[in-house]
């Protein structure tokens, strides 16, 4: 096992336990770890560190940079207050709570940007990288597991590297990855991807063997992703999108096999992908950030010919299936660094169709993806901005209401903007679809209110828009009322007016 | 003259007057015209159309697409209600007024996006293109004048083309331009620019001669740009930026000749560029949207070795100087289509340093570039988003107050977001500079309030931030107060509190 998992003979002597390896971690360090949407994350050493802190009561805190969210390790680290600073994405409820209390400093970044910022020296030095691996090559190259994320830039820039070889990952994973990093400026070449299936790099992360200070063997598995099953509403939303895509094909604006698809994590995206299994499109391609269950189902259905991503995000059932039969998918997929899977250059060149989830949208098409009531962070912008700004077609989805109708997802004014009106082509709720391409703000408002808002909020939105328009302006607003829906929710727990008649008269 | 200006012999018979050419324009047409920041805009035929409407009282309205703002033609068309729909940018006060009244439908777009949207068929068909030219080549190729803008995509997609040959532009302008258009998807190649000076296309816009229905000779000149002279405050802001750049060089994060510079139109940008004349940087390069006066001054000072843009934006004095001596600048500059000058792919590859102007910023670093009080459109987002999102270093500048202190440009919550917190590295006012790279929202708020806000607003901002933070949240806000500064201005004409003591007690 040792021989095949560590092919560089000189490195075989550096095998240590996780307990030994965690001792290299010191207070104040900046550590870059593998891991993206709970896949392929460094687990053993960080969990051993948590044990040390738990047992000794030591005050220790680190700056933790990753690809995106880690699995349960994010929760463990947060529970024991080991993280001072975290970037570029997270989705754990314990960690989120600390971020919102101001206890953990969180920098929410476009996921294609982090590597660039590290390369430019803007985020300081990386003291240590901890990278989960399938194996180490003859030259010290690190073969990742179920994600690539930001691991290549961490390995390149870190002073020292710890490798966690995960024995539950079959050695057949070697060959899945394609590692390419843009050169430092000012002499950078174009990224030579012109087709989803283009391989442009190596199957391993190049690494100077001298930097590898320890190798830990582990059998800790990825935390599986929770797949929210589609319901009647998500099915309907998926239907609108599939109809819309058919319409675009009919009018010659998309080819019969569409364009490479990106879909964010979420039940609607999953429902759209599932819907493609029976839709009249063939030879589909995926150019996305994470490969969810549905992508593998589409492989099996013969609908998708190739998929490129930077990570898996799979249910427990699908993890087992994919892990055990990776060989049969290997020639149909690539895992790339997130800088490449999300790169504006490639996204725009390929004309990706981007589908992502909004928390709320306003009547002019601005999208809030991250902040509840403009204040409390949910997860982070993730890759949605990398794709939305540069895609050939940008779609955002959200149910028209949340919390049994007490929250409208269509509001006069979003409390936080992650995607501006300039970056949103199509919006979808279970009420319908609004094609905003080329429309003016006033035209967008009419389409959004009419097609997307829930009936119990539609009249009030229309009333707001009409009264605002009467005052004039390119993007008419009544600033004194713009955020009143959110205030009402904060006060009463319901965006709906308790006594619509009375309040309405008052407003007039 | 005819021979050298129209080298395609078959086209020489198509010379018509502007009065004749305007007759091809019919009600409801979509027309794509040359012109960007009042440079190289189609003037003769549109002005003849205005005369027709004025004389006949005819009801005629067109959809007018351009590169960016036209010169006085935008005002003339607006005054005579000839434009129903306008995109992607404007800066004329008469037109702006109609846009804000809802009379003209205006779609504000990222300037690198418009060509892409037309190519995809999202903006409908182009009935007619009207392109100002220096000359027509043997094959019917159109050599632009002082801008390229969106002319290549208009010529490609338009059913018919009218060329306006401007005799005030010396024939020596031929060779200045570099026309390259990305292929239609799905088979698109990388844009092969790796250095600012790379020439990748033709010196003319290719055009099927059969599409050219008329050629008009004109001597109408570009409307000169109004240069706002630097004052003590803009000089100070330029100083902060130059010091900051020196600091980045010292820490090895920028090379001695910096990175290619982009600067939006505005007095601070001009002051920064002027400041470079005496700064210790050599062999500077410019990769920008518009070349302002200062770029030519830097050529003359031997500081800038090459500049790439899609348009001029010059004062009357500088227009004359550059026009008469274009030959001496020709080997140091390129005018490209705006899709290329602003392309995310190239901007990110080159690691451009982007400097643009904000209307207002909030305490977390979100930038409003377009909407006064979130409602009234000023000009448009222009290329600021193309650069800000993708640059190696993104700087926004604004004076800390406007209207003699009655408006604070640093507010709790911006009324419109054009650039999100994720896209802003550095903010500058005459009060100081805030380096936001890698900071969390709470850290950003402290830096912005401390370094950028005007002293007469600083305490109140800090008070807002402290009270919001006490309630918690990643990006703390008090929604009931977030827009109160703008409301106060709407009510009293002043964002400052009339009776700070009293109001403060009430707020507590």
């Amino acid at each position: 096992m040792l021989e095949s998992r560590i092919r560089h003979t000189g490195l075989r002597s550096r095998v240590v336990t996780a307990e030994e390896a965690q001792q290299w971690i010191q207070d104040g360090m900046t550590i870059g770890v593998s891991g993206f949407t709970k896949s392929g994350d460094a687990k053993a050493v960080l969990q051993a560190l948590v044990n040390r802190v738990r047992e000794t009561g030591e005050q220790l805190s680190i700056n933790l940079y990753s690809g995106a969210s880690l699995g349960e390790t994010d929760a463990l680290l947060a529970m024991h207050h080991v993280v001072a600073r975290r970037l570029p994405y997270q989705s754990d409820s314990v960690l989120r709570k600390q971020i919102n209390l101001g206890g953990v400093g969180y920098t929410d970044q476009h996921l294609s940007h982090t590597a660039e910022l590290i390369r430019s020296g803007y985020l300081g030095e990386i003291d240590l990288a901890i990278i989960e691996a399938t194996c180490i090559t003859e030259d010290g190259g690190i073969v990742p597991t179920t994600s690539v994320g930001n691991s290549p830039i961490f390995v390149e820039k870190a002073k020292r590297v710890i490798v966690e070889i995960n024995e539950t990952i079959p050695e057949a994973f070697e060959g899945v990855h394609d590692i390419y990093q843009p050169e430092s400026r000012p002499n950078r070449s174009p990224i030579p991807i012109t087709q989803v299936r283009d391989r442009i790099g190596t199957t391993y992360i190049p690494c100077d063997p001298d930097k590898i200070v320890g190798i830990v063997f582990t059998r800790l598995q990825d935390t599986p992703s929770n797949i929210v099953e589609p319901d009647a509403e998500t099915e309907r939303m998926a239907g609108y999108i599939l109809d819309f895509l058919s319409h675009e094909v009919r009018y010659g604006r998309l080819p019969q096999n569409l364009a490479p698809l990106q879909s964010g994590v979420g039940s609607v995206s999953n429902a759209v992908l599932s819907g493609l299994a029976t839709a009249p499109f063939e030879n589909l391609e995926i150019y996305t950030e994470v490969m969810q269950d549905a992508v593998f189902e589409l492989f099996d259905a013969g609908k998708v010919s190739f998929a490129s991503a930077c990570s898996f995000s799979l249910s427990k059932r699908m993890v087992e299936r994919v892990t055990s039969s990776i060989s049969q998918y290997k020639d149909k997929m690539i895992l790339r660094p997130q800088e490449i899977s999300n790169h504006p250059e490639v996204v725009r060149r390929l004309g990706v169709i981007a589908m992502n989830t909004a928390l709320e949208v306003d009547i002019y098409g601005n999208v809030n993806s991250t902040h509840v009531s403009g204040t409390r962070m949910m997860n982070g912008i993730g890759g949605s901005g990398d794709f939305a700004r540069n895609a050939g077609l940008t779609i955002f989805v959200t149910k028209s209401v949340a919390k049994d109708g007490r929250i409208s997802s269509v509001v006069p004014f979003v409390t936080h903007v992650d995607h501006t009106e300039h970056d949103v082509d199509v919006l979808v709720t279970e009420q319908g679809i609004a094609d905003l391409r080329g429309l003016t703000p006033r035209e967008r408002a009419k389409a959004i209110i009419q097609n997307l808002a829930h009936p119990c909020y539609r009249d009030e939105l229309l009333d707001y828009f009409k009264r605002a328009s009467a005052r004039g302006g390119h993007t008419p607003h009544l600033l004194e009322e713009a955020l009143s829906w959110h205030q009402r929710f904060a006060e009463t727990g319901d965006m709906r007016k308790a006594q619509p008649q009375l309040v309405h008269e008052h407003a007039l």
Side-chain angles (χ1 to χ4, degrees), chain A:
Chain A
M1 186 57 110
L2 189 63
E3 285 66 26
S4 61
R5 294 283 187 166
I6 310 178
R7 300 209 295 270
H8 186 289
T9 49
L11 285 175
R12 287 177 191 157
S13 60
R14 299 200 196 150
V15 174
V16 293
T17 64
E19 289 65 36
E20 290 168 318
Q22 62 80 18
Q23 294 174 23
W24 287 309
I25 300 178
Q26 291 164 20
D27 187 47
M29 273 188 169
T30 296
I31 302 179
V33 299
S34 66
F36 196 105
T37 53
K38 307 181 188 173
S39 291
D41 53 333
K43 307 175 222 352
V45 178
L46 289 176
Q47 291 187 18
L49 175 71
V50 168
N51 290 339
R52 157 178 152 201
V53 170
R54 183 161 46 196
E55 286 160 19
T56 64
E58 184 181 349
Q59 293 291 320
L60 176 147
S61 77
I62 58 173
N63 304 318
L64 186 65
Y65 300 176
S66 63
S69 46
L70 310 182
E72 56 172 346
T73 310
D74 255 338
L76 291 169
L77 291 165
M79 261 180 252
H80 294 86
H81 305 285
V82 176
V83 175
R85 198 174 270 275
R86 182 85 175 82
L87 60 81
Y89 185 84
Q90 55 74 38
S91 67
D92 178 78
S93 61
V94 183
L95 176 55
R96 177 186 303 137
K97 200 169 170 189
Q98 293 190 8
I99 288 169
N100 283 315
L101 287 169
V104 172
Y106 175 50
T107 306
D108 178 29
Q109 294 175 330
H110 297 297
L111 294 186
S112 85
H113 281 199
T114 309
E116 205 78 274
L117 297 171
I118 292 172
R119 188 174 295 118
S120 303
Y122 293 177
L123 299 178
E125 296 190 331
I126 309 288
D127 297 300
L128 181 68
I130 311 177
I131 309 295
E132 187 179 89
T134 302
C135 64
I136 297 177
T137 68
E138 291 77 0
D139 300 322
I142 300 167
V143 177
T145 60
T146 51
S147 72
V148 178
N150 280 321
S151 298
I153 190 75
F154 293 148
V155 169
E156 181 190 326
K157 294 294 182 188
K159 295 171 197 159
R160 302 197 287 183
V161 177
I162 296 170
V163 179
E164 293 189 4
I165 292 180
N166 194 318
E167 294 179 277
T168 70
I169 300 295
E171 293 179 37
F173 261 69
E174 187 170 0
V176 164
H177 314 90
D178 184 56
I179 310 300
Y180 175 93
Q181 290 206 79
E183 297 96 337
S184 289
R185 300 164 179 140
N187 295 303
R188 183 180 291 184
S189 315
I191 298 168
I193 295 174
T194 60
Q195 301 294 329
V196 171
R197 64 191 67 217
D198 286 343
R199 286 192 164 271
I200 61 172
T202 56
T203 56
Y204 53 85
I205 301 169
C207 182
D208 173 359
D210 290 343
K211 289 215 307 201
I212 300 179
V213 292
I215 301 168
V216 172
F217 277 80
T218 176
R219 298 191 66 86
L220 291 170
Q221 288 185 283
D222 287 347
T223 307
S225 147
N226 297 319
I227 303 291
V228 181
E229 289 300 324
D231 57 24
E233 292 185 340
T234 53
E235 299 276 16
R236 206 184 310 160
M237 290 157 79
Y240 295 141
I241 294 175
L242 293 170
D243 285 350
F244 173 77
L245 295 176
S246 298
H247 176 269
E248 290 299 293
V249 171
R250 212 155 44 239
Y251 281 81
R253 290 190 288 259
L254 281 177
Q256 184 62 43
N257 70 335
L258 303 179
L261 298 162
Q262 177 264 336
S263 77
V265 177
S267 57
V268 178
S269 302
N270 242 330
V272 170
L273 291 183
S274 298
L276 287 170
T278 51
F281 311 116
E282 307 293 335
N283 293 312
L284 294 168
E285 293 182 313
I286 312 269
Y287 196 86
T288 194
E289 194 175 87
V290 290
M291 290 173 67
Q292 296 179 263
D293 284 21
V295 174
F296 289 92
E297 287 158 9
L298 289 170
F299 279 146
D300 295 347
K303 284 286 191 174
V304 164
S305 61
F306 208 93
S308 163
C310 76
S311 181
F312 290 168
S313 179
L314 301 176
S315 69
K316 189 164 165 43
R317 186 184 60 81
M318 191 58 88
V319 165
E320 285 160 12
R321 181 159 128 207
V322 172
T323 305
S324 62
S325 50
I326 189 69
S327 303
Q328 85 184 62
Y329 298 111
K330 227 160 131 176
D331 61 342
K332 292 182 193 140
M333 58 168 285
I334 293 175
L335 292 181
R336 308 182 188 274
Q338 69 198 72
E339 187 177 10
I340 304 298
S341 66
N342 291 24
H343 204 293
E345 171 174 340
V346 184
V347 172
R348 181 135 166 193
R349 185 179 300 144
L350 297 178
V352 166
I353 298 172
M355 294 176 283
N356 291 287
T357 303
L359 206 59
E360 61 178 3
V361 302
D362 72 23
I363 57 172
Y364 297 112
N366 298 287
V367 169
N368 174 6
S369 303
T370 55
H371 282 73
V372 175
S373 292
T375 289
R376 289 193 307 287
M377 169 58 66
M378 280 294 292
N379 301 332
I381 192 168
S384 58
D386 293 321
F387 288 98
R389 172 70 60 89
N390 302 292
L393 189 64
T394 294
I395 303 171
F396 279 94
V397 301
T398 179
K399 291 190 182 181
S400 71
V401 289
K403 295 206 184 290
D404 301 323
R406 285 177 285 130
I407 292 178
S408 176
S409 308
V410 184
V411 293
F413 197 100
V414 286
T415 51
H416 185 90
V417 176
D418 293 292
H419 308 290
T420 75
E421 42 153 343
H422 312 95
D423 298 332
V424 180
D425 293 324
V426 174
L427 286 172
V428 181
T429 70
E430 84 290 347
Q431 298 294 319
I433 185 163
D435 180 358
L436 308 177
R437 293 173 297 177
L439 299 190
T440 67
R442 288 172 191 236
E443 292 167 337
R444 289 199 293 264
K446 287 176 200 157
I448 289 171
I449 296 170
Q450 202 55 50
N451 299 356
L452 305 181
H454 192 277
C456 76
Y457 288 103
R458 201 176 286 154
D459 288 347
E460 203 187 339
L461 283 169
L462 203 58
D463 177 58
Y464 175 89
F465 171 63
K466 280 185 179 167
R467 287 182 295 118
S469 298
R471 279 204 213 158
H474 178 58
T475 305
H477 270 302
L478 305 169
L479 291 188
E480 68 278 17
E481 280 183 45
L483 297 172
S484 63
W485 293 35
H486 299 87
Q487 287 167 243
R488 201 185 300 152
F489 180 78
E491 286 158 15
T492 70
D494 201 327
M495 278 190 184
R496 288 170 296 200
K497 289 183 178 174
Q499 296 164 293
Q501 243 59 33
L502 266 175
V503 179
H504 191 65
E505 277 166 30
H506 177 72
L508 286 172

